Amino acid sequence: MTRRTEWPGSDAEPAPDPGAGPDYGTGSGGGFGEGAGRRARSRSRSSGPPSSSRAEKGEPRDPVEQARNICLRLLTGTPRTRKQLADALRKREIPDEAAEEVLSRFEDVGLIDDAAFADAWVESRHHGRGLARRALVRELRTKGVDSAVIDEAMGQLDSEREEETARELVARKLRSTRGLDRDRRLRRLAGMLARKGYGEGMALRVVRQALEEEGEDTEGLDEPF
C-alpha cells in the first residue's frame, strides 16, 4: 500500500514504499534523480549527426560559396585589390578553380576594381599622408596592382602638385626645428621628405627655400645631403 504525502512545491505524489527498493526517479544519491534525468534529456536533445551542427552554423560546404562569403566579408567597408582577395582565399585553402570563378565574377559586377582602387589610394595617401609618387608606387605594387594601372593612377599626381605638397609638409615641420643649427634642420626636414618618397633634388630645393625664407644662410646647401 502506498501512503500519499505533500512534497513542497509540487502536487501530491506517492511516498516511496520501504519494501519497493530504491527509487531512482526521485532519489538524490549516486548522481541519479531529477538532475540526472534532465542531463540525460539534454544529451539526447543535443545529440545528432555532426553535419547538422555544421548546417546550423551556416557554414557552406561548396567552395565557391565559401569563397564568395570570404570576399564579401573582406570587402565590407574596405576596398581591396584582386591580389589581396586571392591571397586571402589561398590562405583559407579555397581551391584555385573556385577562387578564380568568384574573383572573376566580382570583377564583372564591379566589386573588384583595381583601377578605381589605385586612383582612390593615390588621392587618399597623397592628400592625407603627403606621400610622393615613389612611395605610392611601392605601396600599390605590394598590393598586387598591375604596373599599367599604377602608371595610369599616377597621372593624377604631376610634379607641380607633388612639390606643392612637399612645401606644405616642410612648412608644418619647420617650427619644430627652430633652435637647431642649420645642418641639423636640413637633415631633419630633408629626411622627413625622403621617408615619404620625395627625391633628393626636390627635397633639397624645397628645404633650402623654406630656410631662406626664415633668414637662414643656405650657402653650400646645393650639395647632396
Side-chain angles (χ1 to χ4, degrees):
M1 178 176 180
T2 303
R3 299 189 306 275
R4 302 186 65 84
T5 184
E6 295 295 329
W7 296 81
S10 65
D11 296 331
E13 295 180 6
D17 188 340
D23 184 357
Y24 295 129
T26 59
S28 59
F32 293 89
E34 248 186 315
R38 284 196 298 269
R39 287 193 296 272
R41 289 192 296 272
S42 175
R43 284 195 298 270
S44 176
R45 286 194 299 268
S46 64
S47 64
S51 59
S52 64
S53 174
R54 184 183 181 91
E56 286 173 5
K57 292 181 180 179
E59 298 178 7
R61 300 177 183 176
D62 179 13
V64 171
E65 187 65 17
Q66 288 180 334
R68 179 180 176 275
N69 289 346
I70 291 168
C71 289
L72 287 174
R73 284 197 301 270
L74 291 174
L75 287 169
T76 300
T78 306
R80 297 178 190 267
T81 65
R82 180 179 176 123
K83 181 181 184 299
Q84 286 178 304
L85 294 173
D87 289 345
L89 295 178
R90 191 173 302 111
K91 183 178 179 180
R92 289 163 174 79
E93 299 182 350
I94 300 297
D96 290 343
E97 253 184 53
E100 181 65 26
E101 179 180 337
V102 170
L103 293 173
S104 296
R105 176 58 179 163
F106 274 38
E107 276 188 327
D108 290 343
V109 299
L111 290 175
I112 300 175
D113 189 338
D114 282 4
F117 178 94
D119 288 342
W121 188 266
V122 170
E123 178 63 27
S124 172
R125 299 286 282 176
H126 179 75
H127 179 74
R129 296 284 304 279
L131 298 186
R133 295 169 62 92
R134 186 165 56 187
L136 293 168
V137 168
R138 184 169 57 246
E139 289 185 341
L140 288 172
R141 281 177 179 165
T142 63
K143 295 183 181 302
V145 180
D146 184 76
S147 296
V149 175
I150 294 176
D151 290 342
E152 189 173 345
M154 288 300 125
Q156 63 182 287
L157 183 59
D158 57 33
S159 58
E160 290 182 3
R161 181 179 175 185
E162 193 174 39
E163 184 163 334
E164 181 182 348
T165 302
R167 293 184 192 284
E168 292 172 356
L169 291 169
V170 170
R172 290 201 294 267
K173 187 78 172 176
L174 197 63
R175 180 178 296 179
S176 67
T177 66
R178 288 172 186 161
L180 302 176
D181 64 64
R182 187 199 67 176
D183 289 344
R184 288 185 67 188
R185 296 186 81 186
L186 169 68
R187 286 194 298 271
R188 184 164 296 185
L189 294 168
M192 177 267 295
L193 291 179
R195 288 191 296 274
K196 291 182 178 292
Y198 291 89
E200 185 178 281
M202 178 184 290
L204 180 60
R205 182 171 64 255
V206 168
V207 172
R208 177 178 180 176
Q209 289 174 353
L211 293 177
E212 284 177 349
E213 290 172 2
E214 286 209 338
E216 286 274 15
D217 179 9
T218 60
E219 185 178 354
L221 290 186
D222 290 329
E223 300 176 2
F225 53 88

